[in-house]
């Protein structure tokens, strides 16, 4: 996988953990190993600007996804074709506040947001109840499996 991570947020981010999670999630979703993904961490002002520009909504949000080649998940038998997945933009300042509210660590929130962004890049959505159930279930499955895989043996 070609995963480029840039942190322009001013907040320390465990980029190695985000990298490992991204590779894990893309493998889990049977995405071709030559697929390309970019992850950008930005501050609240930059995120608010993107949120207004692309979603026409005020204020910063936690994560935005910008799909490129409209790739979809593969299967056990057939990988997604190689291509540009797209860009994920995460705002660590928003993630910090959400982590406090949710009662988990900031890293856990950033991994959740990264997974959420990857799923959006692969065509998942949560506008309808059945879509939300599928997407959030898959998001939970990936995060649980990743956490278990990360535990020392």
């Amino acid at each position: 996988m070609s995963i480029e991570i840039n942190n322009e947020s001013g907040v320390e981010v465990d980029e190695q953990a985000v990298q490992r999670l991204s590779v894990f999630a893309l493998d889990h979703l049977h995405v071709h190993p030559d697929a390309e993904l970019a992850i950008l961490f930005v501050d609240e002002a930059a995120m608010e600007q993107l949120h207004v520009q692309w979603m026409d909504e005020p204020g910063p949000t936690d994560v935005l996804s910008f799909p490129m080649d409209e790739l979809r998940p593969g299967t056990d038998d057939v990988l997604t074709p190689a291509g540009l997945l797209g860009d994920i933009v995460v705002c660590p300042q928003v993630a910090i506040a959400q982590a406090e509210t949710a009662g988990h660590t900031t890293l856990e929130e950033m991994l959740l947001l990264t997974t959420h962004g990857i799923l959006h890049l692969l065509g998942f959505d949560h506008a309808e109840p059945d879509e939300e159930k599928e997407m959030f279930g898959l998001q939970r499955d990936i995060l649980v499996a990743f956490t278990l895989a990360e535990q020392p043996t």
Side-chain angles (χ1 to χ4, degrees):
M1 303 283 164
S2 172
I3 301 170
E4 181 180 323
I5 299 174
N6 290 306
N7 184 0
E8 300 173 2
S9 71
V11 173
E12 187 174 322
V13 173
D14 186 344
E15 294 178 27
Q16 291 180 345
V18 171
Q19 174 86 19
R20 289 192 310 274
L21 167 79
S22 299
V23 169
F24 184 90
L26 294 172
D27 283 344
H28 185 86
L29 296 164
H30 309 289
V31 173
H32 197 285
D34 290 336
E36 296 180 38
L37 168 65
I39 303 170
L40 178 62
F41 294 93
V42 299
D43 64 20
E44 291 168 301
M47 184 57 101
E48 180 173 16
Q49 184 178 8
L50 290 169
H51 199 208
V52 169
Q53 179 181 354
W54 294 102
M55 305 299 290
D56 200 25
E57 295 183 22
T61 190
D62 50 6
V63 61
L64 290 171
S65 298
F66 299 95
M68 297 296 277
D69 288 346
E70 297 186 17
L71 300 175
R72 297 298 177 254
T75 65
D76 287 336
D77 300 324
V78 180
L79 293 177
T80 294
L84 296 174
L85 276 170
D87 301 336
I88 299 169
V89 184
V90 178
C91 183
Q93 290 88 342
V94 174
I96 291 166
Q98 289 180 175
E100 277 184 32
T101 300
H104 55 238
T105 68
T106 300
L107 177 59
E108 288 170 320
E109 184 70 16
M110 287 206 244
L111 295 177
L112 182 150
L113 295 174
T114 301
T115 304
H116 191 85
I118 288 170
L119 290 173
H120 274 307
L121 291 180
L122 289 167
F124 291 91
D125 202 356
H126 46 85
E128 299 297 325
D130 58 328
E131 293 174 333
E132 181 177 343
K133 183 178 180 183
E134 178 186 19
M135 182 176 180
F136 283 59
L138 185 53
Q139 178 177 288
R140 183 187 59 251
D141 292 348
I142 290 168
L143 289 166
V144 167
F146 174 74
T147 300
L148 292 172
E150 286 280 294
Q151 291 179 352
T153 54

